[in-house]
Amino acid sequence: MKPKLIGFDLDGTIWTPDMYMLYGGAPFTVAGDGTKQLKDSRGDTVELLGISGTILHDLNYHEAWEGVRVAWVSKCDEPEWADECLRKFRSTGVDPKPLEKLAHTSHIYKGNKKDHFRRIQKEFPQLQFEDMVFYDNQMDNIRAVEGLGVACYYCPQGMTEKIWLDSLEHYAQRMSKK
């Protein structure tokens, strides 16, 4: 069984460093083909972590994931910078797309992630919290969102293949017990 919505934190989960750690900030320029790195206005690198680009591409273009929604769920200090990075980073795979085109909803603003998920649930009232999965590199966010019933997975080094595969297996087991 697959989740109906998969939410991703951005800073430290999809890319590094966190936006607040950049001194140059916008505008960002694409390094190479945009599937791995961007440079901020000072030349500092922002890079996709682990297999983020592949996961996001697969979620949008493989039949197995048809109907699953993707959400950006970030309490980023610099939301405008994050939006620009999403426009400029590209997924991997055949016909790479800007990451911003790969999500069905975007919640990038200061605030408790619990509130982010409450807003997502209002946006998609047909989905229950148990239909959702969330990935974040900060345990305080994981604990807050778990309290709603969302399946949360800690990824301190970003989206690695092991975390991705283990979490999908765990979610399927969790749902088969219901």
Side-chain angles (χ1 to χ4, degrees), residues 10 68 70 78 130 141 144:
L10 295 173
V68 175
V70 174
E78 300 291 346
E130 69 181 15
N141 294 329

Side-chain angles (χ1 to χ4, degrees), residues 51-118:
I51 61 168
S52 298
T54 302
I55 291 169
L56 295 165
H57 188 81
D58 290 352
L59 286 171
N60 280 269
Y61 296 104
H62 283 186
E63 286 180 22
W65 295 102
E66 191 171 328
V68 175
R69 291 178 170 87
V70 174
W72 305 128
V73 187
S74 179
K75 59 181 182 181
C76 177
D77 288 325
E78 300 291 346
E80 297 82 16
W81 295 359
D83 286 336
E84 183 177 342
C85 289
L86 289 170
R87 286 191 304 275
K88 292 184 175 177
F89 267 125
R90 301 181 74 69
S91 66
T92 57
V94 177
D95 191 25
K97 300 286 186 216
L99 296 188
E100 77 168 346
K101 302 269 187 210
L102 303 181
H104 299 87
T105 188
S106 184
H107 292 264
I108 305 172
Y109 52 85
K110 286 290 209 178
N112 186 300
K113 298 252 177 128
K114 230 177 178 176
D115 295 334
H116 287 68
F117 271 90
R118 286 184 181 123

Side-chain angles (χ1 to χ4, degrees), residues 101-169:
K101 302 269 187 210
L102 303 181
H104 299 87
T105 188
S106 184
H107 292 264
I108 305 172
Y109 52 85
K110 286 290 209 178
N112 186 300
K113 298 252 177 128
K114 230 177 178 176
D115 295 334
H116 287 68
F117 271 90
R118 286 184 181 123
R119 288 181 182 184
I120 290 169
Q121 204 277 323
K122 284 181 183 173
E123 190 176 343
F124 300 104
Q126 71 277 20
L127 300 180
Q128 302 302 309
F129 289 123
E130 69 181 15
D131 298 326
M132 302 177 192
V133 168
F134 177 53
Y135 297 90
D136 201 305
N137 67 313
Q138 294 183 9
M139 281 306 297
D140 59 328
N141 294 329
I142 295 289
R143 287 185 200 102
V145 175
E146 274 179 335
L148 296 172
V150 175
C152 296
Y153 300 98
Y154 179 58
C155 46
Q157 266 67 64
M159 293 303 302
T160 65
E161 184 173 20
K162 179 171 178 29
I163 287 169
W164 178 242
L165 296 175
D166 288 353
S167 66
L168 295 175
E169 183 178 328

Side-chain angles (χ1 to χ4, degrees), residues 16-68:
T16 190
D18 291 11
M19 293 289 107
Y20 81 89
M21 295 175 166
L22 297 170
Y23 294 104
F28 293 88
T29 56
V30 174
D33 62 3
T35 62
K36 295 286 183 203
Q37 294 183 340
L38 300 176
K39 298 284 184 181
D40 76 357
S41 65
R42 234 178 60 160
D44 293 330
T45 301
V46 180
E47 64 183 309
L48 287 183
L49 289 167
I51 61 168
S52 298
T54 302
I55 291 169
L56 295 165
H57 188 81
D58 290 352
L59 286 171
N60 280 269
Y61 296 104
H62 283 186
E63 286 180 22
W65 295 102
E66 191 171 328
V68 175

